[in-house]
Amino acid sequence: GQQVMQIPQYQHVQEGEDFTTYCNSSTTLSNIQWYKQRPGGHPVFLIQLVKSGEVKKQKRLTFQFGEAKKNSSLHITATQTTDVGTYFCAGSRSQGNLIFGKGTKLSVKP
Amino acid sequence: DGGITQSPKYLFRKEGQNVTLSCEQNLNHDAMYWYRQDPGQGLRLIYYSQIVNDFQKGDIAEGYSVSREKKESFPLTVTSAQKNPTAFYLCASSNIPGSYNEQFFGPGTRLTVL
C-alpha cells in the first residue's frame, strides 16, 4: 500500500540551530499536509501544499513540496524551545485518505 | 466554544472486555475519523465516516467497530478481537470529506488493557 516515509525519526538541536524534516513517497501525491503534536497533546494542522514546487512560509517555518510531488520538507530556522514536539507529514493520492508519516520528534536544548 | 471532545482521557480495561470510546464534535463537520497512535508510529486510520449513517474501514479496522447515528457523534468500540488494543486513540473531523481538508483532532483517549 501507499506509504509516506519521514526522516529523521528524532532530532536533538541546541536552541538557535536550524531543523529540517523530510517526507518522501514512492507515488505522486495530490497534496501534503503538516501537523505538529506537542508532548502529551494532539496533532494540530500547520499547513497544506498542493502545487508542484510550492513553497510556503509561516514565520520561522518553511514548507516545500517537490517538483514531482513525491517529497516535502519542513524547515525551522533558529529553533526555540516552543518548537518542541513531533512533526507529522500526511499525504494522499487523489480521492484517497491521508496517509501519515511516522513523524519527527524534535527536542530543543536551551 | 467549538471543538472535539473525547472521553475519558485515560481508560483501563481488562483483557477480553469490549470498550467504547466517545467522540463528539460541535463544529458541524460532515466527516469524522478514528486514528490509532502507537509510540514511534504515525497515525493509522481505523475507520472514517463521510456522512451520517455511513462509515468505511480504514487501514486497521480489524477488532474495531463504529457507528454514526448522529452528525456530531462517532463512537469507537474496541472489541475483544483486537489483539493489541493498548494505544492512544485520536478522533478527528473535517468540514467536508476528502484529503484536501484540514483535520481537527480531539485530545485523545489513552487506552490501557491489563
Side-chain angles (χ1 to χ4, degrees), chain A residues 52-54 65-71:
Chain A
S52 169
E54 189 170 14
F65 202 8
E67 293 289 341
K69 300 183 74 173
K70 289 185 177 181
N71 56 74

Side-chain angles (χ1 to χ4, degrees), chain A residues 7 10 24 42-43 49-52 54 63 67 69 76 80 82 84 86 91 103 110:
Chain A
I7 57 170
Y10 302 97
N24 295 285
H42 57 275
L49 305 170
V50 178
K51 299 177 182 177
S52 169
E54 189 170 14
F63 304 84
E67 293 289 341
K69 300 183 74 173
I76 302 178
Q80 300 175 358
T82 53
V84 164
T86 301

Side-chain angles (χ1 to χ4, degrees), chain A residues 10-98:
Chain A
Y10 302 97
Q11 186 76 58
H12 309 281
V13 300
Q14 190 77 34
E15 188 173 20
E17 292 182 339
D18 292 356
F19 159 77
T20 304
T21 175
Y22 301 90
C23 196
N24 295 285
S25 170
S26 58
T27 58
T28 301
L29 300 171
S30 58
N31 63 313
I32 197 154
Q33 297 180 357
W34 285 91
Y35 291 80
K36 177 183 178 181
Q37 184 175 22
R38 294 182 185 273
H42 57 275
V44 175
F45 175 83
L46 294 175
I47 210 159
Q48 174 168 263
L49 305 170
V50 178
K51 299 177 182 177
S52 169
E54 189 170 14
V55 178
K56 288 188 176 181
K57 292 188 176 183
Q58 290 180 349
K59 298 182 179 179
R60 295 179 294 104
L61 277 62
T62 301
F63 304 84
Q64 292 187 335
F65 202 8
E67 293 289 341
K69 300 183 74 173
K70 289 185 177 181
N71 56 74
S72 181
S73 65
L74 158 59
H75 179 82
I76 302 178
T77 303
T79 55
Q80 300 175 358
T81 54
T82 53
D83 296 324
V84 164
T86 301
Y87 293 84
F88 292 98
C89 62
S92 73
R93 296 177 66 184
S94 180
Q95 305 303 321
N97 288 309
L98 283 175

Side-chain angles (χ1 to χ4, degrees), chain B residues 53-71:
Chain B
N53 292 321
D54 183 61
F55 49 83
Q56 306 293 330
K57 291 181 179 180
D59 300 318
I60 56 165
E62 185 176 353
Y64 301 97
S65 65
V66 294
S67 63
R68 186 87 186 275
E69 298 177 1
K70 298 186 295 183
K71 187 175 185 178

Side-chain angles (χ1 to χ4, degrees), chain B residues 15-106:
Chain B
E15 192 173 348
Q17 289 182 332
N18 291 358
V19 60
T20 297
L21 280 58
S22 166
C23 177
E24 303 280 332
Q25 56 100 357
N26 60 6
L27 300 167
N28 200 33
H29 284 175
D30 285 324
M32 298 188 73
Y33 311 82
W34 273 105
Y35 292 92
R36 170 181 172 139
Q37 186 175 30
D38 295 284
Q41 300 292 319
L43 282 65
R44 291 183 291 168
L45 183 64
I46 305 173
Y47 267 99
Y48 64 100
S49 169
Q50 297 180 331
I51 197 169
V52 175
N53 292 321
D54 183 61
F55 49 83
Q56 306 293 330
K57 291 181 179 180
D59 300 318
I60 56 165
E62 185 176 353
Y64 301 97
S65 65
V66 294
S67 63
R68 186 87 186 275
E69 298 177 1
K70 298 186 295 183
K71 187 175 185 178
E72 59 270 23
S73 179
F74 191 40
L76 172 74
T77 297
V78 185
T79 75
S80 56
Q82 169 51 233
K83 295 179 181 178
N84 187 18
T86 294
F88 188 47
Y89 290 89
L90 287 158
C91 178
S93 71
S94 63
N95 187 18
I96 52 178
S99 63
Y100 284 90
N101 300 288
E102 170 187 355
Q103 293 191 10
F104 294 80
F105 286 83

